[in-house]
Structures are given as C-alpha cells and as structure tokens.
Amino acid sequence: MPIDPILDPSVLAKELSGYHLINGKLVAPKNGKTFDVLNPATGKVIGQAADGDADDVAIAVAAAKAAQKDWAERPARERGKLLAECGRILMSHAEELGRLVALESGKALRTESRVEASVLADMFVFFGGLASELKGETVPFNPNMMTLTTREAVGVVGAIIPWNVPMMLMAIKVAPALVAGNAVVVKSAEDTPLAVLRVCQIMQEVLPAGVFNILSGFGPSCGGPLVEHKDVKKVSFTGSVETGRTVYRAAAEKLIPVTLELGGKSPMIVMGDADLDKAIAGAIGGMRFTRQGQSCTAASRMLVHESLHDEFVKRLIDKVNTLKMGDPLDEETDIGTIINRKQFDKVCGYIEVGEKEGATKNELSALPTDSALSDGLFVRPVIFTNVDPNARIAREEIFGPVACVFKFKTFEEALELANDSDFGLAATVWTTDLKTALVATKRLEAGFVQVNQNLVVQPNLSYGGIKLSGLGKEASLESMLEHFTYKKTIILNME
Ligand code: ADP
C-alpha cells in the first residue's frame, strides 16, 4: 500500500511515536518504555521514541536473520531494482522527510534538511545500480582446476548512526548492505529517531519484511546489545571517537569486521595565490555554518597565507554575519540550532576555553528575536583568530559553529600545521598553482582531499578517514564490496 506524504512534521512525529520497526511493522518496545523527543528550536516535546533494549535487539536480529536467507538468494539485480525503487519513492517523500528531520534535529530546512532528504534518495538509487558489480574473479591457479572467487553476503549487519545527518548516514550503510544481500538492524540516535523510522517505514512498501529493521534506544542499553549479539556479523558505526572505541572493543570480542566513521578537525589551506571569492564560499560551506558546524568534515582549521589572512578574515566575518539564524522550518532561515543541551553546553564551554586560551573571539550573526524560540539551542557562530596551534580549540573536535583561523608564511609550514592533528578525515587546499595542488594532495594526511572546493559525501566517492577519524570507507562501490561482503575462493578439481 503506497504511503501518502504527511507534510506537517508535528503530526508525523506523533504518528511515529513510541515505535521500532521490526519485520515490516511498527512495534512498541517489549519493556513498554519510551523517552521524549524534543524540538531543539523550542525545547518542546514533539513525540516519543521507543526505549529499546536487549530484548528488542534479539527480536529484530532474529527477524533479520530469518529474512536474509531469501533476500541473499534473489538475483542481485532484483535486489538492486527494489533499492532503486526505494530511492524513487523516498524522493517523492523528500519534502516530508526534510521537514521531519528539521523538526527533530534543528537543522534549517532550506539549507540543510531538504538537501539531506534528496541525497538520501539518491544514495538508494546509486547503490541499487551497483547490484551487478557483485562480481568475482577467475584465478589462473592450475589448468586442471577451475579457480574462482565470489562475493558473499556477511549476514545480519548492525548499523549505529548519529544525529547530525541521520538519514543520509543511515543510507550509506543500509543501501550497500542490502544490495549486497545482507539484512540490517539499525540503532538510531537518541535525538533523531523519527525521520529515520519514517524512511524505514516508507521502504517497507517495496522491501520484503525483515530485511531492514530499525530500533531506537540509548547507546549502552540498545546499541551495545546490538554490537554484542551473536548473529550480528558486521557493524558499521558513525559517531564519536570514544564510542567508536567501545564498539570496536565489543566487536573484537566476537572477531567481526567493523567500519568506523569518527571525528575530524579538518584543515583548509588557503595559499597566497588562491581565488579569495571561492575560498570564502568554500569556508562557509566547508565549515557547515548552516548546520551549526555539526559535521565530522567541518573545515574547522583554516590555515591562511599571511598575504591574504586579514582580508580572508574580514570577508569571512562579513559573510557569516549575513546568515540568518532562526526557526529551522522557516524558509528564510540559514542556520538552525545545536542538537541538544549537552552539546550546547559543550560548544559554549569550548568558546569560553578559547577566550581563556587567549584567542581573539569574533562572535557573528544574531540570535533570533522570536519569543517562541527563546528556549532554542542557538549558538552564534564564532571565528577565532590569533589561535595557538597547541590550544585545545585548535586540536579538539568541537562539533559546533566554531572555526579557528591561523596565519602561515610557507607552504611547508602550512602542511605541517595541517597534518599536526590526531584526526585525518578531510582536507582542502585552495590555490591556482597546479604543482602546489598536486604536492598538497599527496602530502595531506586525510581520507578525503579536495582542491578549490569543499563538497560533502557524494555517491561513488569513497569517504572515510585515517588516524582517529576511523577505519574503512563508505559511499562507494569499493566500500560496498569490501565492507558488506566477504570473498570466497572456490577451487574445482577436474582431474
Ligand atoms: P554523541 O556523543 O554525539 O551522542 P555517540 O558516538 O555517543 O555520539 O553516538 C553515536 C551513536 O552511537 C548513537 O546512536 C548512540 O546511541 C550510539 N552509542 C552510544 N554509546 C554506545 C555504546 N556503548 N554501544 C553502541 N552504541 C552506542
């Protein structure tokens, strides 16, 4: 039965309240417990999430395990067609999904949430088209033996997702896992359980029951049991470094493979010959000011050549000042809110630390004046200048609208500063010189390096970091093959 879009996100939030989706159906948690979901722009309760635990994990994993066998036995292209069809249906729900994720996450609809909904749909179309690429090889091992490899599904995949781009980050786990013949159980993030639940519900129009299940609940009580469940054969996690370590340890006990997409403190090097207009636009987009900086790839360390530094800072400040903070659902709004009180306190704490560390604080844009938003978690974007590269604000991931701008003299100094980080997710360099661009792309220690642009995750571009930014890649054909299948070697002796 086709599901009609519900464009009022408050109505939709209530309809979805209190459920997991297991084996094709919305179901209440076994323990009957729920927790509130808040609108971070008002502090008001918009609905409830099921407070799942190990009992629900057991039910969901059993459903996934039962459904996976038939799913894996279908022709690959049939799975692919179904996923592409999911993408098309999700696209027809893009507006409602954008509105719902804006309501629960505080991300502005026009600049962020609507964009996320369409990228989500596109990811399913893209991975659906990769079904025929689940190919193996023949190996010239022995003329009397036919030797070949095949790609096999791993079984049930556990996916644990964060709140900043919940639908898209779920899509880059669920779509490749499903097309490869696995079944999936997702554990949603506490703050954003509703839009992803709706995505899963919409996909039930097309998918067989049980191949895609979603649970909500808290990390230790619901995510933990999912990782530990004996029938979960692979875990894909996006979140903080600390939780990534916990997940990795639990997976190590079972010796199962894990993909981890963790934090970042991404550098953006602006050379003296850079096109300043492009660099300023890239800094605004790259720093994700419109998402309150809540991005693992945020270009939060801007390293600018001394000849351009002052002009860069001035123009960046002017530009950020034009961004309008306000109700995430208002079409005029550029910047929404921080996700929750804990993050809000953390970000404000870092801004205080930065001042204590002696950096110069430029606090920009204006808080909304609408009284309905007076309890909203709005933080004014901050650009720190005169920052000591060893300061905490220069080294630790803030996950908020706080950027540090540094001045450098030589290219070598810029590369050293850029690489002097525990993280290695993304990096950009801004230059009009080909050789500088090539040297920088070679020497920057990061998994996703761009020249003169600052794009986000794209279908078919491997995305993932090194160092504390994680393990493994997502969003591409190789990531689907490497992370959601295993290679089987088969030898037929014909003697
Ligand atoms: P944040 O601090 O922003 O909440 P986390 O890394 O803790 O970031 O959360 C990312 C995801 O990991 C969320 O879905 C969260 O519920 C989940 N999570 C948190 N703790 C655990 C855990 N011990 N085991 C499994 N998942 C967890």
Side-chain angles (χ1 to χ4, degrees), residues 352-426:
E352 276 173 32
V353 166
E355 283 183 286
K356 285 199 194 115
E357 287 176 322
T360 308
K361 179 172 89 167
N362 300 280
E363 206 165 30
L364 310 169
S365 192
L367 291 175
T369 49
D370 182 351
S371 61
L373 304 176
S374 56
D375 289 333
L377 303 173
F378 295 92
V379 172
R380 294 178 64 196
V382 170
I383 294 171
F384 277 117
T385 51
N386 300 311
V387 185
D388 175 349
N390 289 315
R392 283 184 60 200
I393 55 163
R395 307 195 73 83
E396 297 173 17
E397 186 181 41
I398 299 175
F399 224 72
V402 183
C404 296
V405 186
F406 306 84
K407 200 186 280 186
F408 70 84
K409 280 191 171 58
T410 65
F411 183 36
E412 198 54 39
E413 188 191 345
L415 289 171
E416 269 171 33
L417 266 172
N419 288 336
D420 181 19
S421 171
D422 292 337
F423 297 103
L425 189 50

Side-chain angles (χ1 to χ4, degrees), residues 160-163 187-191 217-228 237-244 246-247 262 339-340 342-343 346 399:
I160 297 180
I161 56 172
W163 44 260
K187 206 295 278 173
S188 59
E190 293 83 335
D191 296 292
F218 292 94
S221 52
C222 189
L226 179 61
V227 179
E228 287 158 17
F237 170 85
T238 301
S240 62
V241 176
E242 199 185 326
T243 306
T246 307
V247 166
L262 310 175
I339 187 72
N340 58 30
K342 189 171 147 223
Q343 277 299 120
K346 182 179 156 198
F399 224 72

Side-chain angles (χ1 to χ4, degrees), residues 8 10 21 91 106 111-112 130 145 153 199 249 265 303 341 360 366 373 403 412 424 479:
D8 182 340
S10 309
L21 197 151
M91 199 61 217
T111 56
E112 292 288 338
L130 295 189
M145 296 178 198
V199 170
R249 266 187 226 110
K265 191 83 182 173
L303 320 177
R341 179 64 59 184
T360 308
L373 304 176
E412 198 54 39
S479 70

Side-chain angles (χ1 to χ4, degrees), residues 51-374:
D51 185 357
D53 60 21
D55 288 342
D56 301 320
V57 167
I59 297 168
V61 173
K65 189 178 175 190
Q68 192 263 332
K69 203 165 164 291
D70 281 351
W71 180 242
E73 280 173 5
R74 291 187 188 214
R77 283 208 64 212
E78 191 181 312
R79 290 196 301 268
K81 280 182 188 162
L82 292 178
L83 285 180
E85 181 59 16
C86 287
R88 277 186 285 278
I89 300 175
L90 289 169
M91 199 61 217
S92 70
H93 284 263
E95 184 61 21
E96 78 159 14
L97 290 169
R99 297 177 83 80
L100 185 57
V101 86
L103 183 72
E104 66 180 345
S105 72
K107 288 194 304 182
L109 178 63
R110 178 176 51 80
T111 56
E112 292 288 338
S113 295
R114 203 177 267 139
V115 182
E116 184 190 348
S118 67
V119 176
L120 155 89
D122 194 30
M123 283 291 177
F124 280 98
V125 174
F126 165 69
F127 277 108
L130 295 189
S132 307
E133 297 300 323
L134 289 153
K135 293 183 284 204
E137 303 141 334
T138 54
V139 186
F141 171 57
N142 181 317
N144 294 317
M145 296 178 198
M146 177 69 166
T147 306
L148 53 120
T149 64
T150 57
R151 288 282 179 182
E152 306 289 341
V154 292
V156 178
V157 171
I160 297 180
I161 56 172
W163 44 260
N164 62 331
V165 207
M167 299 189 294
M168 198 279 285
L169 294 175
M170 178 171 80
I172 62 175
K173 300 182 188 313
V174 171
L178 287 179
V179 82
N182 305 286
V184 188
V185 179
V186 171
K187 206 295 278 173
S188 59
E190 293 83 335
D191 296 292
T192 53
L194 300 174
V196 289
L197 179 63
R198 181 64 167 173
V199 170
C200 183
Q201 185 189 37
I202 291 166
M203 287 173 61
Q204 303 308 310
E205 256 185 54
V206 172
L207 295 179
V211 298
F212 177 17
N213 310 275
I214 187 161
L215 304 171
S216 59
F218 292 94
S221 52
C222 189
L226 179 61
V227 179
E228 287 158 17
H229 195 290
K230 68 175 181 21
D231 290 329
V232 169
K233 302 295 185 196
K234 153 91 199 180
V235 171
S236 181
F237 170 85
T238 301
S240 62
V241 176
E242 199 185 326
T243 306
R245 284 197 178 105
T246 307
V247 166
Y248 200 16
R249 266 187 226 110
E253 279 298 318
K254 289 165 52 183
L255 287 176
I256 58 164
V258 184
T259 309
L260 301 173
E261 204 266 273
L262 310 175
K265 191 83 182 173
S266 297
M268 160 172 186
I269 300 179
V270 182
M271 299 299 295
D273 63 1
D275 177 328
L276 203 50
D277 289 338
K278 278 193 191 161
I280 296 293
I284 301 279
M287 184 50 218
R288 315 276 188 270
F289 280 112
T290 54
R291 201 194 296 159
Q292 285 276 14
Q294 299 172 119
S295 162
C296 2
T297 36
S300 51
R301 291 188 298 141
M302 301 176 184
L303 320 177
V304 187
H305 188 261
E306 58 180 359
S307 62
L308 285 185
H309 177 273
D310 294 356
E311 178 71 6
F312 177 92
V313 170
K314 184 183 165 304
R315 287 177 58 181
L316 185 61
I317 285 175
D318 288 349
K319 187 77 188 159
V320 177
N321 266 329
T322 65
L323 299 176
K324 185 170 180 286
M325 238 188 285
D327 179 353
L329 284 157
D330 184 340
E331 295 288 342
E332 301 273 295
T333 297
D334 296 303
I335 306 181
T337 68
I338 298 284
I339 187 72
N340 58 30
R341 179 64 59 184
K342 189 171 147 223
Q343 277 299 120
F344 180 87
D345 291 343
K346 182 179 156 198
V347 172
C348 295
Y350 268 113
I351 296 171
E352 276 173 32
V353 166
E355 283 183 286
K356 285 199 194 115
E357 287 176 322
T360 308
K361 179 172 89 167
N362 300 280
E363 206 165 30
L364 310 169
S365 192
L367 291 175
T369 49
D370 182 351
S371 61
L373 304 176
S374 56

